Amino acid sequence: MADRCLNKEELLVLQQYIRSRSATFAEPAIMLELLDHFACKVEATLAENGKLSLEEAMKQAHQSFGIKGFASLAEGFKILTIHKYKKYFTTLLHKKLCSLHTIGLLAVALLVGKVQFYLQISGMDGWTSTLRMLVMVVYAMGIFPYHRRLGRNKFASLYYEAALIAGAGQFIWFVMAQFVLIGGGAVLPVFWSSALLGIVVFGSGLHLLVYQELMKQVACDSEETAQTWQQASS
Amino acid sequence: MERGKIIKGSLTTVILQLLKNNGKMYGYEMTKAVREGSQGSMAITEAALYPALHKLEEEGMVVTETAMVDGRLRKYYKLSRQGSKESVSQLQMLEERMAALKKILKYQLKNG
């Protein structure tokens, strides 16, 4: 059984075949994960039966991956990435909580809470609503640039999605807190309404700091994938 | 029962042992090693191998490195220091389980 090594054009055909199975497999990070294993299998199939065409060998090699095809490998990679980011998110959260950032955030939260308190006791209800809106706008402005930059980058989309899933629990917590803030602000006594706003400012500020660090990691990972991809394509 | 597949639970031990004996390996090489090592009587499917490898990577038992081979990127897995220790204890556990299994298979009730 003679060894058979696929050339560059044949590897491109293999990439095309993988891509044709599902759009998920076209993600560069997943393609890099799949291609070598698939190529090894195709080479072994061709070496066993030299009369087979590349298309036939690809079909046979694909069938040998089992009923789920490439999906098990792709899913495994995605889950690994999500778990990696979840771990990183928790580590960052602990790190930020033990840093000077906490003192700064507490000061800002206290200031915002106090401003809200004085606005409410002065009967300036219009301004208190503006203050709450401002908190939400600042948070959205902190998140949006990353969404624009990474969500549309083909090398980052998988990592970005994984990072969003990894941080989803915290994000849901924040949204719920905002709802409590909006609803509670109108119902609760002045002191508690202001304290609630302070807590939300602290929580969302902390989340924003961690989120930004996480997105830096996403950018770093996607940059690495882009470089590897270019290296493999050249 | 599917004869060809590696018994669930021993897959991690097999991977760690393969890496211990061969230094660094890539995914396809592992499936080939199991097939050739068992003279075709056992096999690891990709659907079982990769989740196990990813789990080991996540737990810090294996580390990865990539290299360009034959015009494509290849991911190699190798044991970390923690993985080396784990491979010894896992092998020991597997041997104990195999010995226990042998005893069970030979067991007869005294008054049965």
Side-chain angles (χ1 to χ4, degrees), chain A residues 42-78:
Chain A
V42 172
E43 283 172 351
T45 312
L46 286 170
E48 269 171 29
N49 186 353
K51 287 175 187 170
L52 277 180
S53 67
L54 184 64
E55 281 69 29
E56 271 301 315
M58 284 193 299
K59 265 186 200 165
Q60 282 188 20
H62 185 220
Q63 277 165 5
S64 70
F65 273 78
I67 198 156
K68 281 178 117 184
F70 302 128
S72 51
L73 262 89
E75 273 168 29
F77 183 74
K78 242 180 172 174

Side-chain angles (χ1 to χ4, degrees), chain A residues 70 95 113 118 126 128 149 151 203:
Chain A
F70 302 128
K95 222 166 127 185
Y118 285 115
T128 54
R149 207 175 55 165

Side-chain angles (χ1 to χ4, degrees), chain A:
Chain A
M1 176 166 89
D3 278 351
R4 169 82 154 82
C5 190
L6 295 173
N7 61 36
K8 214 171 174 182
E9 285 72 36
E10 288 170 324
L11 285 173
L12 286 173
V13 176
L14 258 68
Q15 280 190 32
Q16 199 58 46
Y17 183 87
I18 295 171
R19 238 177 253 133
S20 70
R21 300 290 116 184
S22 164
T24 318
F25 309 147
E27 291 273 356
I30 289 178
M31 179 65 84
L32 289 171
E33 191 82 1
L34 284 172
L35 185 63
D36 182 55
H37 196 107
F38 186 48
C40 285
K41 279 207 154 187
V42 172
E43 283 172 351
T45 312
L46 286 170
E48 269 171 29
N49 186 353
K51 287 175 187 170
L52 277 180
S53 67
L54 184 64
E55 281 69 29
E56 271 301 315
M58 284 193 299
K59 265 186 200 165
Q60 282 188 20
H62 185 220
Q63 277 165 5
S64 70
F65 273 78
I67 198 156
K68 281 178 117 184
F70 302 128
S72 51
L73 262 89
E75 273 168 29
F77 183 74
K78 242 180 172 174
I79 292 167
L80 175 76
T81 313
I82 293 169
H83 285 184
K84 194 179 97 179
Y85 286 148
K86 265 190 184 164
K87 222 180 203 174
Y88 189 57
F89 194 99
T90 316
T91 312
L92 279 173
L93 196 67
H94 289 159
K95 222 166 127 185
K96 292 283 174 200
L97 269 172
C98 300
S99 72
L100 287 173
H101 284 108
T102 307
I103 299 167
L105 278 173
L106 277 172
V108 174
L110 204 69
L111 183 74
V112 174
K114 268 206 152 187
V115 170
Q116 153 105 345
F117 183 78
Y118 285 115
L119 286 174
Q120 273 190 307
I121 57 167
S122 314
M124 298 159 93
D125 285 341
W127 282 103
T128 54
S129 305
T130 312
L131 192 64
R132 283 184 215 135
M133 284 300 290
L134 197 67
V135 172
M136 288 169 78
V137 168
V138 168
Y139 181 80
M141 277 171 68
I143 282 186
F144 192 64
Y146 292 98
H147 177 71
R148 252 181 49 178
R149 207 175 55 165
L150 298 170
R152 292 176 191 172
N153 179 344
K154 77 165 181 171
F155 294 105
S157 53
L158 177 118
Y159 298 113
Y160 180 65
E161 200 188 314
L164 284 185
I165 296 169
Q170 289 79 6
F171 184 72
I172 290 166
W173 175 87
F174 173 75
V175 173
M176 279 171 69
Q178 289 285 8
F179 276 114
V180 172
L181 172 76
I182 293 161
V187 183
L188 286 173
V190 179
F191 175 79
W192 289 110
S193 157
S194 307
L196 196 65
L197 182 65
I199 291 167
V200 172
V201 167
F202 179 78
S204 49
L206 189 66
H207 183 253
L208 202 57
L209 285 173
V210 175
Y211 180 87
Q212 286 178 341
E213 288 288 326
L214 188 67
M215 288 302 137
K216 277 180 196 164
Q217 183 61 42
V218 169
C220 195
D221 286 344
S222 52
E223 182 59 38
E224 206 178 296
T225 302
Q227 277 176 9
T228 316
W229 182 263
Q230 275 160 7
Q231 192 191 345
S233 310
S234 62

Side-chain angles (χ1 to χ4, degrees), chain B residues 80-105:
Chain B
S80 64
R81 195 176 287 180
Q82 191 190 343
S84 299
K85 283 182 198 165
E86 188 66 21
S87 70
V88 177
S89 63
Q90 288 242 8
L91 183 66
Q92 200 181 340
M93 269 191 335
L94 184 65
E95 279 169 348
E96 281 169 11
R97 267 184 276 161
M98 278 160 59
L101 196 63
K102 273 183 193 168
K103 280 180 192 166
I104 294 167
L105 293 174

Side-chain angles (χ1 to χ4, degrees), chain B residues 24-26 29 63-65 67 69 74-78:
Chain B
K24 60 177 188 180
M25 290 178 95
Y26 54 97
E29 208 175 19
V63 286
T64 59
E65 60 182 43
V69 180
R74 183 162 288 169
K75 195 170 179 179
Y76 286 97
Y77 296 86
K78 60 180 185 181

